[in-house]
Amino acid sequence: MAGMIDVQDLRVSFHADGRSVHAVRGVSFSVAEGESFGIVGESGSGKSTVLKAIAGLVASESSTLAVHGRPIAQRRTKADRRQLQFVFQDPYASLHPRQTADQILREPLIIHGLDRHDARIAAALDEVGLKPEHRFRYPHQLSGGQRQRVAIARALILRPPILLLDEPTSALDVSVQAEILNLIARLKQANRLTIILVSHDLGVVAHLCNRIAIMQAGKLVEVLTAEELRNGGAREAYTRELVEASRGFTRAVAAL
Amino acid sequence: MTAPLLSVENLSVSYPGRSGVTKALREASFTLGHERLGVVGESGSGKSTMGRALLGLIPKPGVVTASRMDFDGQSLLGASDADWQKLRGRRLSMIMQDPKYSLNPVRRIGDQIVETCLLHLDISRREAERRALDMLEAVKIRQPDAVFQQYPHQLSGGMGQRAMIAMMLVAEPDLLIADEPTSALDVTVQNEVLRILDDLVRNRGMGLIFISHNLNIVSSFCDRVLIMYGGRILEQISARDLGAARHPYTRALLAAAPSLDAPRATLATVTRDPAWLE
Ligand SMILES: Nc1ncnc2c1ncn2[C@@H]1O[C@H](COP(=O)(O)OP(=O)(O)OP(=O)(O)O)[C@@H](O)[C@H]1O
Ligand SMILES: Nc1ncnc2c1ncn2[C@@H]1O[C@H](COP(=O)(O)OP(=O)(O)OP(=O)(O)O)[C@@H](O)[C@H]1O
Ligand SMILES: [Mg+2]
Ligand SMILES: [Mg+2]
């Protein structure tokens, strides 16, 4: 059965200075329409690169790489871009330093020919808990979490059917994070939104996702359900290590 | 009793703007010894602002005032640019919240760390290179010699964060402000980094201000915690007692975190009370 997103044997390598980095080494999964799929795993294991390949932002090889049954072209059409929105891991780098929040949110509305710009921008800011006073600020005049919320608002403002979220709440305090996660869950219910979420926070991933993939060194080590993750159903040692480490810092080990 | 490493009274920061003045920090007072002081609080509550003010890094037209800001017997209040140059990096250091933004995009990671070493420590280039590689290895970078040669955009989020940590720790500062230092790290690497910081506090007597959204880490890693809201320090409690915090904001924070062990359909949100700002 074809899913909303199909990935078979995905491989991505980077080449620079005569050195090659095999960032993704044969990853396969598929995400059904309306499903939320989580990816957690080691830092540098290729999670962001998988998302970028699905968005057509890096060159990749695969036997299948398709969204909605259509192969992903590196050069995407306007319609493709509207379908799929990306919240990048690094909000500072993904926001233009010389654009205010207002301009950042207005741009996609202009590109895709939507109406009622001012009302939509005001609503998008309100949705992510930003106030009117933040609307005309530049990224460097906002706090880390406020910047991240501008990036989330930009992704949501077009109401895309597919969202790729790379650590969307890592710069947010838990109270704002709860509001954003509830917002995403509401949109998911109302619009049959398909989501891939990358996060280091197992609580966040298990909250939003039905199935969760664990990545290490460019490969998926296992895919399990949120229930399995919660109830000690992990088969791989690395997954069990992650679950253990997520329970907090233990000085006992630190003293060794 | 010995004097604290840092003592701060009535530290305030405001940013004048077109639509009025933003009071980013309001009369913050606290002391720091050779300990791990956690800072938690709402997004926009002034945590990073407080850190930057302690390093003299508030950008113009921001205004900083305080009735006292003493670091190791020296007042930072009237510090000149030259004084700050001497303190920053060597004695006071900050791991910034946006690591990739703080790294120089057009210079190799290794060169940036080596340069920090040479600027602050009286050692040879060869020794600086050795220390830089050791530091990358200590923060669990898998291939330190490869990362040494790479540029910031070639690193993953968590690798960039660890490169930044390595750069700030290599000069062995006396006071470190770590602003969300582990937010891009997977939980096992995160614990390794916490171990390094823990070791510096316990064995080298460093003072650590640890800004984090992760209440789990703060309660298990820190000694004391400041809870911030709307530019103010709402309460200061021992980390052990975080679970029993009294302020309604702190209690609401504890209830809002999604937990692996106790799933909920909808997460509790915070109903903000204007009275918290009084
Ligand atoms: N543009 C690039 N040039 C060279 N190497 C790259 C580039 N982008 C990523 N890499 C490398 O690919 C590997 C995977 O990176 P990726 O960003 O996908 O990791 P990640 O799983 O998202 O990690 P993190 O959790 O730290 O964000 C890393 O070794 C990284 O250094
Ligand atoms: N240059 C500036 N001009 C105007 N306002 C600013 C400027 N820099 C920060 N602010 C405002 O000051 C307040 C405090 O910001 P700060 O970055 O200290 O928050 P924070 O507690 O670190 O938040 P976060 O957890 O989201 O990083 C925010 O409301 C922010 O919008
Ligand atoms: Mg990443
Ligand atoms: Mg901050």
Side-chain angles (χ1 to χ4, degrees), chain A residues 48 89 166, chain B residues 157:
Chain A
S48 300
Q89 182 169 14
D166 198 352

Coordinates of all heavy atoms in Angstrom, one line a residue, chain A residues 48 89 166, chain B residues 157, ligand 3:
Chain A
S48 N 17.9 15.0 10.2 CA 17.6 16.2 9.4 C 17.8 16.0 8.0 O 17.1 16.5 7.1 CB 18.5 17.4 9.9 OG 18.3 17.7 11.3
Q89 N 15.5 22.9 12.0 CA 16.0 22.8 13.4 C 16.6 24.1 13.9 O 16.5 24.3 15.1 CB 17.1 21.7 13.3 CG 17.8 21.4 14.6 CD 18.7 20.1 14.5 OE1 19.0 19.7 13.4 NE2 19.0 19.6 15.6
D166 N 11.4 19.6 12.3 CA 12.7 19.2 12.9 C 13.0 19.9 14.2 O 13.3 21.1 14.2 CB 13.8 19.6 11.8 CG 15.1 18.9 12.1 OD1 15.3 18.2 13.1 OD2 16.0 19.0 11.2
Chain B
G157 N 22.8 19.7 13.8 CA 22.5 20.7 14.9 C 23.2 20.3 16.2 O 23.8 21.2 16.8
Ligands
MG3 MG 19.3 17.6 13.0

